[in-house]
Amino acid sequence: MQDVRSNTGNEVSVDNVDLICFSHLRWNFVFQRPQHLMLRWAQNRRVFFFEEPIDAPNTGSHIKVDPCGVVVVTPLLPKELSHEERVTAQRALVDEVVKGFGLTAPVLWYYTPMALPFSRHLEASAVVYDCMDELSGFLGCPPELRLLERELMSHAHVMFTGGQSLFENKRKLHRNVHAFPSSVDVPHFAKARVIRNEPDDQANIPHPRIGFHGVIDERMDLDLLRGIAELRPDWHFVVLGPVVKIDEALLPRNANIHYLGSKSYDQLPAYLGGWDATMLPFALNEATRYISPTKTPEYLAGGKGVVSTPIHDVVKPYGEQGLVRIANTPQTFVKAVEACLAGCNDAWLLKVDRFLSNMSWDRTWQQMYELVEAVAQRQSGAMKQVG
């Protein structure tokens, strides 16, 4: 086992408690909600980030300490194992980490209910379910996910949701649920307002440029993107991000659509700075019904106009407050982009900055921390009474 700093002190507080995060997203995938929150938790305690397993000849785990301090654990499992054998093997790997690193009643933080079968036995100071998406609506959802989610909600002491619409859907299913819509690191994306050096692969793309960054999957309306590109062949559409769960052959290949692949979080402001407007061409389906796109405030922090399809958590509050334009057909989308190109003035930008002044991942984490701390205090008090 690698040497990671240990906890000290006996005070009942999550400041003195390690944290295990079970995630369906990989640590080095797109930098988003889990990464923003876990790196903040890791400033004051040990954080172990369990990814989904990858195929390997033999059972084991790959353990790496990220520069931010998060310990990333990747289970290695032979492909031929049955479902029951995979659960048993992952439980043993979790127990090995708990014992090897000397973890005592850590905070258990879940992004996926699929981790419950190999972790439900662990003693915890607090159990947190951060429901950032309605995973049951995603392509390839395991059939047992809904049942496991109900069990996780009964097991969790506190539950967070990744947006307001998801909160409305879950609020009656848990006694202690709180909405935490996607937040933003404003200073990071505000760099786009002053960056002048173009990335090499974007430098020769003509203007106007309309950009998108994020995962390209079943949530993107490919027909809409194709239709917009056909209506305005003089515009150029820059698309950043990995293609996941869909066939790349389905992507529209118009000459004015430019797929530049995945970019790191640190690279995004440089690309955003070279765009004239941004887009959220999401399909309206089960996978997008409850999403709260992190890209919305990121685009705005970069000072760029945004056009989105009518995703509930974009319409409210961004659309209703005149920060984002809403459209759902190629024709209306084109008109909305035209309005962005012509109308994102200083008055609009002042309104944007006023809205974003109340948002930060630091603030989100602090509010979550206080709720988890309250749970840990209650759990400790209950244990003392039983004792």
Side-chain angles (χ1 to χ4, degrees):
M1 291 292 183
Q2 299 185 47
D3 183 27
V4 182
R5 65 188 183 279
S6 299
N7 293 319
T8 59
N10 298 315
E11 181 184 353
V12 179
S13 169
V14 290
D15 284 337
N16 305 315
V17 175
D18 298 314
L19 184 149
I20 301 177
C21 176
F22 297 101
S23 177
H24 60 295
L25 299 171
R26 299 205 177 278
W27 182 257
N28 288 322
F29 189 51
V30 176
F31 195 93
Q32 50 190 307
R33 184 185 183 97
Q35 289 83 353
H36 278 293
L37 294 174
M38 290 304 116
L39 70 84
R40 286 165 172 80
W41 279 106
Q43 291 174 4
N44 295 302
R45 65 197 50 75
R46 295 184 297 177
V47 172
F48 297 81
F49 188 90
F50 272 80
E51 302 184 322
E52 292 189 334
I54 60 175
D55 296 336
N58 301 300
T59 299
S61 58
H62 178 262
I63 299 177
K64 180 180 179 180
V65 183
D66 187 83
C68 75
V70 172
V71 182
V72 182
V73 183
T74 308
L76 309 174
L77 300 179
K79 192 174 183 179
E80 62 271 16
L81 292 183
S82 68
H83 174 73
E84 291 76 14
E85 290 170 331
R86 293 174 75 85
V87 169
T88 300
Q90 288 180 87
R91 175 171 175 156
L93 293 173
V94 169
D95 288 345
E96 180 183 315
V97 168
V98 168
K99 182 179 179 180
F101 283 97
L103 307 186
T104 303
V107 172
L108 301 182
W109 187 290
Y110 289 86
Y111 280 106
T112 172
M114 298 304 295
L116 198 59
F118 55 83
S119 62
R120 60 164 68 95
H121 66 288
L122 295 173
E123 181 183 357
S125 296
V127 178
V128 181
Y129 179 26
D130 188 9
C131 182
M132 63 180 284
D133 287 306
E134 181 57 81
L135 295 179
S136 63
F138 282 30
L139 190 65
C141 162
E144 65 270 30
L145 187 143
R146 290 181 184 272
L147 185 62
L148 285 172
E149 184 183 52
R150 287 198 292 271
E151 181 184 349
L152 178 55
M153 285 191 286
S154 68
H155 197 52
H157 301 113
V158 62
M159 178 176 174
F160 307 135
T161 65
Q164 187 63 34
S165 61
L166 192 53
F167 170 76
E168 296 297 337
N169 184 51
K170 303 290 188 183
R171 64 185 306 176
K172 295 182 180 179
L173 303 177
H174 196 276
R175 63 194 178 281
N176 187 20
V177 58
H178 307 267
F180 284 100
S182 294
S183 195
V184 61
D185 182 346
V186 172
H188 180 71
F189 285 94
K191 297 173 187 175
R193 304 187 188 190
V194 297
I195 286 175
R196 295 293 177 263
N197 295 326
E198 287 271 19
D200 291 342
D201 56 351
Q202 181 172 277
N204 294 323
I205 297 175
H207 290 268
R209 298 176 188 150
I210 296 85
F212 170 90
H213 72 75
V215 179
I216 305 161
D217 56 16
E218 76 273 20
R219 292 172 293 178
M220 180 175 282
D221 190 335
L222 301 178
D223 289 335
L224 176 62
L225 178 59
R226 181 183 295 107
I228 300 166
E230 290 173 351
L231 286 174
R232 293 305 302 258
D234 56 320
W235 291 354
H236 289 264
F237 301 86
V238 179
V239 180
L240 311 179
V243 180
V244 178
K245 296 189 293 183
I246 62 173
D247 187 349
E248 288 196 32
L250 298 175
L251 301 180
R253 295 295 178 177
N254 306 60
N256 59 335
I257 301 178
H258 309 269
Y259 300 98
L260 303 187
S262 297
K263 307 299 176 185
S264 72
Y265 183 73
D266 288 341
Q267 291 175 304
L268 292 179
Y271 285 89
L272 180 57
W275 299 346
D276 301 292
T278 61
M279 59 182 177
L280 296 171
F282 286 117
L284 302 179
N285 56 31
E286 283 302 306
T288 63
R289 186 176 178 184
Y290 300 110
I291 63 171
S292 174
T294 308
K295 290 170 281 296
T296 316
E298 290 174 349
Y299 292 162
L300 292 173
K304 305 300 178 181
V306 186
V307 180
S308 174
T309 49
I311 298 300
H312 183 278
D313 283 11
V314 178
V315 174
K316 185 178 182 179
Y318 298 98
E320 292 181 351
Q321 296 195 27
L323 305 175
V324 170
R325 289 177 169 84
I326 306 298
N328 60 1
T329 67
Q331 292 78 12
T332 58
F333 214 95
V334 164
K335 289 183 178 178
V337 172
E338 289 173 341
C340 276
L341 295 175
C344 292
N345 52 29
D346 290 343
W348 170 82
L349 196 57
L350 182 62
K351 185 190 297 186
V352 164
D353 289 343
R354 191 177 297 121
F355 180 88
L356 295 178
S357 67
N358 293 317
M359 296 178 65
S360 76
W361 283 112
D362 287 336
R363 180 174 179 173
T364 296
W365 175 83
Q366 182 63 37
Q367 292 172 340
M368 288 180 167
Y369 163 83
E370 291 170 1
L371 290 165
V372 177
E373 172 77 357
V375 164
Q377 296 281 359
R378 289 198 299 271
Q379 287 297 108
S380 174
M383 291 296 292
K384 289 178 179 178
Q385 288 181 7
V386 171

